[in-house]
Amino acid sequence: MEAIYGQAGQRRFICALAAMALGLAAFAATAAAATAPSTTGAAASPRERLSLDRGWLFHLGDITPPDIKGADPSYNNAKAGNAAGAAATTYDDSDWRALDLPHDWAVEGPFDPNGNSAQGYRPRGVGWYRRYLRIDPSERGRHMELQFDAIATHATVWVNGNLVHRNWSAYNASNIDITPYLRYGDAGNTIAIRADANPMEGWWYEGAGIYRHAWLVKSNGVHVVTDGVAATARLVKGHDWSLPVGVTLNNSADRPAKVSVEVSLFAPDGKLAASAARRVALPVLANTTVTLPLAIKAPARWSLEQRNLYRVSVTVRQDGKLLDETMLHTGFRTIRFDPQQGLFLNEQHVKLQGVCIHQDHAGVGVAVPDAIWEYRLRRLKELGVNAIRFSHNAVAPEVMDMVDRMGFLVMDENRNFNPSPDYLLQLEWMVRRDRHRPGVILWSVFNEEPEQGTEVGYEMVRRMVAAVKTLDATRPVTAAMNGGYFSERNVAQAVDVVGANYHVGDYDKYHKANPGKPFTSSEDTSAFMTRGEFSTDAGKNLIASYDDDFAQWGNSHRDAWQAIATRPFVAGSFVWTGFDYRGEPTPNVWPSVSSVFGIMDMNGFPKTAYYLHQVQWIKDRPLIYLAPHWNWAGKEGKDIRVMVMANVERAMLLLNGRVIGEQAIDPYRMNYFTVPYQSGKLEAVGFNHGREVARASVETTGPAVALEMVPDRDALAGDGRDAMPITVRAIDAQGRAVPTDSAQLTFDVSGAGRAIGHGNGDPNSHEDEQGSTRKLFNGLAQLIVQSSFESAGMLQVTASAPGLRAASVRIPVKAVGAMPFAPAAGAAPTKLGNWRIAPASATRPDPASNPSESELQVWGWGQQAPAKLDAEKGGQFNLFRTSFTPRKNLSDGNAHLRFKRIAGKAEVWLDGRLAGTKSAFAPAEWRVPLLAGTGARRITVIIERQAGEAAGMDDVSVEAGSIAQASALAR
């Protein structure tokens, strides 16, 4: 454990993590309530939101489609449904890796010293995902939408060989109407996604792949569009509020509709607070927006302490029948940025005690489970954080739900600075998704752009601000500027609140020149610390944790906060950063692979900065902490620099009961003592009005003799999604954490779950984050475990290390109802299409014939399968030909061709070999063995018609299993 706590403090830290957990059942229930539609009466909602996280196939590396050469391939290439290569419905993915989402393949890759330091020296590249989906025929007429909460970085999506979507950012969602492309029943549907992670949007680790959740949303043809409910409260006067609820509907049915739209507002106690209804006519295949104003008297306010959330329920009915239903949560609160006094929330002054954070975590990269996000937010709450800047992009929707429930203010930030149509859609999507959330207090349109001090930047921002205001005029817009404030034309003139990144020396100058402009720090500090290190070693890329080292553009934690806290006109702080993150290892390079800016390391373990800010930001209880640890064997008698951090009036320092000194606490600079090292117990005692109110200690430990594991919570939900971190540390014979131990751990996990990653906070570690071993770094490591789907029982976790007593924990996994999900189907039978039909002939054609290009021009076409041929046309024989490549698992001879119906006598030839003969003219289902062979196969079918009768075939497919097995199944 971080030695700052001392032995008692170390236990307080571990206990605090568990004690602060919101409770798994309550957390899961709240999360479900935040996203699931309600039901009306006994009738189930007609809208289904099904998880698509399960059952994906993955291939790392790009797959180049075959060259397009020749008349037929060129002609077919441009046809709907005829995507080539891995996007094709017939592509063989039988040897691809099976996995579940979320997934980040970059974190699985090795570190490369020749790689990009900004991206953490991790490989990225291209990956492919495929999934199969069955839609029941009874669901014809419903509206179907694929939703991907984020894919890194550029994504191309195909459904049944049709290119249906392209996305140009790793941070925005893709909501894709797939209704026109669907096949029903056993025909099955193929989803294929090419994720190109080569493009970079940021200068930090961005991960790779489908790293957030995926969904299938089923609704009626008449439905509320995704993010189509706008519900942002406005104070009218006194205690009177309005909530104009805008509802955007779509009608994908084949006829116009007249419907009733009803909005109901439910208070935090579940009681109906207001309602309204309107009739609206909906044209076909168009969006229609209707606004229903609600009036509310004296609602319960949302605040940092009282997170009162109201539920907005929207129902759509036609002639009394429920067609659609959806809901969201919102809150009633006012925000005001005053140019002289900063931020007011509900007319109460609030100083922003904020952090900037990226979205990766130890062990899992950017594929962070929801419960680990909740853990990260709890760590920030314990620190005293009241505001978060999700930098520099929109975060997962589940996280935004959490911040409203837990009480954080948010600077919601756009990633790409560009008002062109493609990029403006990204900004508009973010505002549309988050405008109902009470925690959002600022929209940020960019971070540190070179054009910020120019007329070009001003004009670009002006357009982006206008787009935001069209969707939400209730919140101010800012931009995180790191210069250009004083040029003749600059971005600050186009935003509502000026955001300053660093440039502390400009705070007073700008305010004096622009006294009517609200101002905040949008990013500050950029200080360096390596957790648990108290001596800088440039040769080892280790930086002491005394708050003396910071970037040339930044400040120490103490300097930055003092500059902000002592200026009333500065609304607050957003420290860079709350957590360490992969990439951007400034000021170091290889072998450093992650940043050291964090108040905490990548696991959420605290650095000195954690306690420094905690005593500055928490006012309701006395706090005192010490740094460094007190294990300095070999330095007896040498001076050790001791840092005391406290929010009390005075502090006394004692070593083994002897008073070293006493000082008045400096609330900004903190306090330092020089202490000649002597093993034993170092204590800091805090006093208010002469009375002891707080005490902290660090103590010299013995050598490590055992390992200890402390789970973050008491149990896991057996839904396959719940996860928790487990703290692992070494302890001495007296049970004290050894803050300098670096034992090599081996993990063993069995039972109702699995390990999904681990870390230790060492910015120079190149260990496999998802393997079975990990070293302690300065006494600590973290293992993340996750339950299995539909699991119950126990998860057994053991950590062992040479020379130390192993540690084991048994974590109960509780049976819970599974999140509704769309089952993964197997690959649909390969349908043989693109048949060429030779002209009818009076004599049996040669099955081995190879017509020339010119001869092919007179051949006819059949698509999925040729229709029955007319008996009145042509001669007695017809020849059909196509080519296909069977999946590898169907190439060993243990598969067959199934003709759903074939009329006439017939021969089937595969690659010049006779595979089967039908001797009767009567129509029948027919199965023919698929002879063993790999690669592309050519199939030729010759049909002989009976005089005066029609002949032909319908629906030819390749199916697994022998003919005998198929016959047995049919019986």
Side-chain angles (χ1 to χ4, degrees):
M1 180 52 55
E2 174 67 41
I4 294 167
Y5 272 109
Q7 301 309 313
Q10 291 163 3
R11 293 185 178 88
R12 286 200 302 272
F13 166 69
I14 297 296
C15 293
L17 290 183
M20 288 187 65
L22 300 182
L24 177 62
F27 171 70
T30 307
T35 56
S38 60
T39 56
T40 302
S45 172
R47 173 182 290 254
E48 295 179 87
R49 189 170 187 250
L50 306 175
S51 172
L52 269 184
D53 284 355
R54 304 197 204 185
W56 288 84
L57 301 171
F58 173 69
H59 173 84
L60 180 59
D62 206 0
I63 298 172
T64 304
D67 289 341
I68 302 169
K69 293 181 179 179
D72 287 357
S74 297
Y75 182 83
N76 292 326
N77 172 66
K79 302 302 181 184
N82 270 12
T89 58
T90 56
Y91 185 82
D92 183 8
D93 54 21
S94 57
D95 58 357
W96 286 21
R97 171 187 169 191
L99 55 77
D100 300 317
L101 305 179
H103 174 235
D104 174 5
W105 83 69
V107 76
E108 301 171 348
F111 294 98
D112 179 2
N114 298 312
N116 186 344
S117 62
Q119 294 284 340
Y121 296 98
R122 294 281 199 177
R124 300 182 75 199
V126 175
W128 282 84
Y129 296 84
R130 285 169 61 90
R131 194 189 195 276
Y132 298 100
L133 182 68
R134 186 184 188 278
I135 303 295
D136 194 83
S138 64
E139 298 194 286
R140 278 190 172 91
R142 300 194 76 186
H143 182 85
M144 305 282 182
E145 185 170 291
L146 278 182
Q147 296 182 350
F148 297 97
D149 288 341
I151 302 173
T153 301
H154 291 177
T156 311
V157 183
W158 291 264
V159 172
N160 293 333
N162 298 281
L163 198 163
V164 298
H165 184 73
R166 287 190 175 101
N167 187 54
W168 307 112
S169 176
Y171 302 103
N172 64 289
S174 297
N175 303 313
I176 311 163
D177 177 10
I178 62 170
T179 314
Y181 314 103
L182 290 178
R183 301 168 180 168
Y184 297 88
D186 294 337
N189 298 278
T190 303
I191 304 167
I193 299 171
R194 182 181 184 269
D196 183 356
N198 285 306
M200 287 175 52
E201 290 182 274
W203 46 99
W204 58 87
Y205 175 87
E206 297 184 278
I210 311 178
Y211 71 94
R212 292 183 187 166
H213 295 304
W215 309 90
L216 175 66
V217 177
K218 301 179 179 181
S219 56
N220 278 313
V222 172
H223 59 277
V224 179
V225 304
T226 300
D227 298 328
V229 179
T232 305
R234 295 162 171 81
L235 178 62
V236 178
K237 186 178 181 181
H239 298 290
D240 296 331
W241 289 73
S242 69
L243 183 67
V245 181
V247 182
T248 302
L249 302 109
N250 177 267
N251 179 13
S252 64
D254 58 3
R255 63 192 64 184
K258 292 184 178 180
V259 299
S260 173
V261 180
E262 181 177 345
V263 173
S264 300
L265 180 70
F266 296 92
D269 61 5
K271 295 180 180 178
L272 181 66
S275 63
R278 275 191 61 182
R279 299 272 302 167
V280 59
L282 304 177
V284 172
L285 296 177
N287 286 355
T288 303
T289 299
V290 57
T291 299
L292 296 92
L294 301 178
I296 305 95
K297 186 79 171 178
R301 299 280 188 104
W302 183 96
S303 69
L304 295 171
E305 299 78 21
Q306 301 293 325
R307 282 83 72 184
N308 291 305
L309 292 172
Y310 282 69
R311 178 164 58 89
V312 178
S313 175
V314 177
T315 57
V316 182
R317 289 182 169 83
Q318 185 177 41
D319 299 327
K321 180 183 177 182
L322 183 64
L323 296 184
D324 196 14
E325 183 178 31
T326 189
M327 57 81 65
L328 54 75
H329 285 101
T330 192
F332 293 82
R333 56 98 183 101
T334 62
I335 54 173
R336 177 169 62 87
F337 282 86
D338 184 88
Q340 305 302 321
Q341 300 180 71
L343 173 65
F344 288 81
L345 176 67
N346 296 321
E347 293 305 318
Q348 301 295 312
H349 183 262
V350 173
K351 197 77 168 182
L352 295 173
Q353 299 170 175
V355 293
C356 304
I357 59 174
H358 282 313
Q359 60 178 8
D360 63 317
H361 190 85
V364 294
V366 294
V368 182
D370 299 350
I372 300 302
W373 265 113
E374 189 264 351
Y375 159 81
R376 288 164 65 87
L377 296 180
R378 275 193 281 119
R379 299 295 293 121
L380 294 175
K381 203 72 177 175
E382 185 197 28
L383 167 60
V385 169
N386 64 16
I388 301 173
R389 178 188 180 212
F390 291 109
S391 47
H392 306 284
N393 49 266
V395 76
E398 296 82 9
V399 180
M400 294 300 292
D401 292 339
M402 291 178 202
V403 299
D404 278 346
R405 295 197 301 271
M406 298 175 72
F408 291 97
L409 304 175
V410 171
M411 179 188 291
D412 214 352
E413 188 154 278
N414 175 61
R415 172 74 292 270
N416 292 302
F417 179 42
N418 192 333
S420 67
D422 280 346
Y423 289 102
L424 202 60
L425 286 173
Q426 297 173 16
L427 172 63
E428 292 170 338
W429 160 81
M430 182 184 77
V431 175
R432 194 176 286 112
R433 186 195 71 170
D434 293 342
R435 59 191 167 180
H436 64 280
R437 304 181 190 277
V440 176
I441 60 167
L442 284 166
W443 303 114
S444 175
V445 295
F446 74 58
N447 175 72
E448 298 180 358
E449 287 291 334
E451 299 285 2
Q452 60 198 353
T454 70
E455 181 181 6
V456 170
Y458 168 80
E459 290 294 345
M460 291 172 69
V461 166
R462 199 163 64 88
R463 284 155 176 78
M464 296 177 80
V465 169
V468 171
K469 299 289 188 182
T470 298
L471 295 169
D472 174 39
T474 70
R475 296 175 179 86
V477 179
T478 189
M481 301 176 66
N482 66 333
Y485 314 100
F486 303 107
S487 62
E488 181 179 356
R489 180 64 81 191
N490 68 79
V491 162
Q493 298 159 357
V495 296
D496 303 308
V497 175
V498 174
N501 286 11
Y502 314 103
H503 290 259
V504 170
D506 288 337
Y507 287 2
D508 294 332
K509 180 181 176 182
Y510 185 85
H511 180 60
K512 183 177 180 180
N514 302 273
K517 194 76 167 182
F519 186 94
T520 189
S521 165
S522 43
E523 183 174 320
D524 50 78
T525 308
S526 275
F528 309 134
M529 292 186 189
T530 307
R531 180 187 58 77
E533 296 292 331
F534 294 93
S535 178
T536 295
D537 187 336
K540 295 182 179 179
N541 287 5
L542 300 175
I543 302 175
S545 298
Y546 283 113
D547 196 31
D548 294 329
D549 300 277
F550 49 88
Q552 55 86 17
W553 61 82
N555 302 93
S556 69
H557 289 276
R558 293 164 297 154
D559 289 342
W561 177 246
Q562 184 172 6
I564 292 164
T566 56
R567 287 171 171 81
F569 68 86
V570 181
S573 166
F574 287 95
V575 175
W576 190 265
T577 52
F579 300 87
D580 284 345
Y581 54 93
R582 291 172 176 79
E584 205 173 10
T586 309
N588 300 314
V589 291
W590 184 269
S592 295
V593 295
S594 64
S595 79
V596 287
F597 293 113
I599 294 173
M600 291 173 275
D601 70 12
M602 273 203 296
N603 309 277
F605 295 146
K607 303 181 187 180
T608 305
Y610 188 93
Y611 306 104
L612 194 159
H613 281 292
Q614 192 181 55
V615 301
Q616 292 175 332
W617 289 349
I618 292 179
K619 309 300 184 188
D620 61 354
R621 63 185 185 276
L623 298 168
I624 192 166
Y625 296 107
L626 275 170
H629 58 74
W630 209 239
N631 277 26
W632 299 104
K635 292 192 175 183
E636 285 77 7
K638 295 183 179 180
D639 288 346
I640 302 295
R641 186 185 183 197
V642 174
M643 187 177 184
V644 175
M645 297 155 284
N647 61 2
V648 298
E649 295 174 354
R650 298 187 65 81
M652 178 188 294
L653 189 68
L654 303 94
L655 177 59
N656 295 326
R658 176 173 57 89
V659 175
I660 299 297
E662 184 175 342
Q663 297 178 13
I665 290 296
D666 186 330
Y668 297 115
R669 313 307 305 163
M670 303 294 115
N671 294 72
Y672 293 88
F673 296 82
T674 299
V675 183
Y677 178 66
Q678 179 186 32
S679 64
K681 187 176 186 179
L682 185 70
E683 294 178 279
V685 183
F687 298 91
N688 281 338
H689 308 297
R691 182 174 61 88
E692 179 183 333
V693 292
R695 182 180 290 253
S697 66
V698 288
E699 190 171 358
T700 309
T701 72
V705 299
L707 297 175
E708 184 177 53
M709 304 179 72
V710 184
D712 177 57
R713 303 200 315 270
D714 293 334
L716 282 169
D719 58 3
R721 294 165 62 101
D722 194 19
M724 76 164 70
I726 300 173
T727 298
V728 187
R729 62 183 185 175
I731 58 175
D732 69 2
Q734 297 182 45
R736 299 173 299 188
V738 181
T740 55
D741 198 82
S742 58
Q744 177 75 54
L745 308 176
T746 299
F747 298 115
D748 180 73
V749 180
S750 60
R754 62 192 179 102
I756 60 172
H758 47 70
N760 62 11
D762 181 359
N764 304 309
S765 174
H766 299 163
E767 297 171 90
D768 179 359
E769 294 183 68
Q770 299 184 344
S772 61
T773 63
R774 165 69 68 171
K775 279 189 174 182
L776 294 178
F777 178 65
N778 289 328
L780 291 175
Q782 181 183 85
L783 176 70
I784 301 175
V785 295
Q786 187 171 50
S787 64
S788 300
F789 290 112
E790 286 90 41
S791 60
M794 285 290 174
L795 180 64
Q796 177 80 29
V797 184
T798 299
S800 58
L804 302 181
R805 186 171 66 252
S808 293
V809 293
R810 286 168 56 83
I811 301 171
V813 178
K814 299 180 179 180
V816 296
M819 171 174 282
F821 67 98
T830 301
K831 300 291 186 181
L832 301 190
N834 295 319
W835 292 89
R836 299 304 303 270
I837 309 171
S841 62
T843 59
R844 175 184 174 275
D846 180 1
S849 62
N850 288 305
S852 66
E853 194 79 24
S854 59
E855 290 176 300
L856 280 174
Q857 299 305 312
V858 299
W859 284 39
W861 285 94
Q863 292 305 311
Q864 187 63 31
K868 187 180 349 180
L869 297 176
D870 192 336
E872 306 301 321
K873 295 180 180 179
Q876 184 177 355
F877 294 91
N878 281 99
L879 181 146
F880 306 83
R881 178 168 292 158
T882 193
S883 296
F884 68 101
T885 302
R887 300 167 64 87
K888 294 183 183 69
N889 60 340
L890 301 178
S891 298
D892 60 358
N894 191 31
H896 62 274
L897 298 170
R898 175 179 177 263
F899 294 80
K900 184 177 180 181
R901 185 174 183 275
I902 186 166
K905 294 182 179 181
E907 303 170 26
V908 174
W909 295 76
L910 274 172
D911 301 329
R913 292 190 293 167
L914 183 64
T917 302
K918 178 176 179 284
S919 57
F921 285 107
E925 179 183 6
W926 188 34
R927 297 176 187 265
V928 177
L930 178 61
L931 304 176
T934 59
R937 315 292 299 275
R938 188 174 80 167
I939 178 173
T940 302
V941 181
I942 298 173
I943 296 181
E944 179 185 356
R945 73 178 75 246
Q946 190 173 16
E949 297 292 331
M953 59 186 185
D954 183 35
D955 197 355
V956 186
S957 58
V958 181
E959 298 187 0
S962 66
I963 294 174
Q965 291 170 331
S967 299
L969 287 173
R971 291 195 297 271

